[in-house]
Amino acid sequence: MMSVHAYLSRLQLAPVAVHDKAPAPAERLLRSGAGSADTAPAPAATPIAEVRAAVNVGSLVSFVDGLDAQSKDDVLDSLQLAQRAASGAHDRFAEVQAWYEKYLEVLNQVGWVTEQFAFVADQQSEGELRMDQAALAVIMAIATQNQLAILKEAVSALESLASTDHTISLFSQMSAREGAGNFQMGAAQQAANGAVSLAMGAFHFQSQDQTSKILFFKRTTKALQIWSAAQRMTFNPASYADVRAQIREMLGEQRRQAIAALKLG
């Protein structure tokens, strides 16, 4: 049986290339404070302990108060690894089913307990649809009250940013291409025994138009098709600890480029 270290060594990670319309504000960069193998970034960067939400490649991830810095690091790194490995193996927008199979396979290897996403098409037949509202409605069924509250804050913070903001550029470019999209939204919470759970929604869509703020524009249901799925994932820190350093090395310098912290109100 192949070891996890050997499995990881065979992964091909997709690069992260974001073309900003405006320079990235220094305060929204991420400074890791737990177990970092990176060189120290600029002092203006947000310490990981203070991060309550962040865009991470094509995911919006938020943290309920009480999650320690190491756990935040581990959640962000493992989710980034899974996304970049899935994109290294399959087209994120044209091979969605295969992409999610690889995404979950990687998460299961590094300490997450997950199930397959069972995608369901949106059943709204007429009227208008806003993607952030549709996504939150799906996650509401599985999230705790605290998880839903922090995720709503994160969505509002993302909406408030200008379309030229680096964080918007990162999310839109990593999660959408030519009218097709594939993104995730989730909130992590830590129990008293240290266990971390993640209420995660996964979404892919086809749209007749394109915009840098894909979550927040209203579209008629005829102009947008969206498929959604949600599940509660659990994280085993002890399993992840054995591969933490290897994963950080694999993510490399592009790790920080793929994460943009959000300031919540």
Side-chain angles (χ1 to χ4, degrees), residues 108-127:
N108 285 324
Q109 286 284 338
V110 301
W112 287 94
V113 178
T114 74
E115 299 176 354
Q116 291 298 314
F117 282 116
F119 284 97
V120 177
D122 186 270
Q123 296 299 311
Q124 183 174 323
S125 58
E126 58 182 19

Side-chain angles (χ1 to χ4, degrees), residues 34-172:
S36 174
D38 292 342
T39 57
T46 304
I48 185 64
E50 298 177 12
V51 172
R52 299 177 64 210
V55 167
N56 184 16
V57 193
S59 293
L60 176 61
V61 185
S62 54
F63 302 105
V64 174
D65 289 345
L67 206 70
D68 61 70
Q70 184 66 74
S71 295
K72 291 179 181 180
D73 253 346
D74 292 347
V75 168
L76 290 171
D77 285 359
S78 58
L79 293 179
Q80 182 178 149
L81 176 76
Q83 290 181 79
R84 291 175 59 186
S87 294
H90 304 286
D91 188 305
R92 182 176 183 128
F93 309 106
E95 302 174 293
V96 175
Q97 181 176 346
W99 190 93
Y100 272 106
E101 288 175 356
K102 189 67 175 180
Y103 173 82
L104 293 174
E105 175 188 290
V106 173
L107 290 179
N108 285 324
Q109 286 284 338
V110 301
W112 287 94
V113 178
T114 74
E115 299 176 354
Q116 291 298 314
F117 282 116
F119 284 97
V120 177
D122 186 270
Q123 296 299 311
Q124 183 174 323
S125 58
E126 58 182 19
E128 291 184 324
L129 184 67
R130 212 173 94 151
M131 213 165 326
D132 63 321
Q133 295 172 354
L136 287 170
V138 170
I139 297 172
M140 187 182 301
I142 61 164
T144 66
Q145 184 175 356
N146 288 339
Q147 285 175 321
L148 188 62
I150 193 69
L151 191 54
K152 285 181 176 179
E153 280 193 64
V155 170
S156 295
L158 191 62
E159 182 180 13
S160 70
L161 300 177
S163 59
T164 55
D165 189 276
H166 168 74
T167 307
I168 288 289
S169 296
L170 172 63
F171 185 74
S172 63

Side-chain angles (χ1 to χ4, degrees), residues 210-221:
Q210 300 179 47
T211 172
S212 60
K213 301 187 79 171
I214 62 171
L215 286 179
F216 308 113
F217 278 82
K218 288 184 178 180
R219 298 165 173 86
T220 65
T221 53

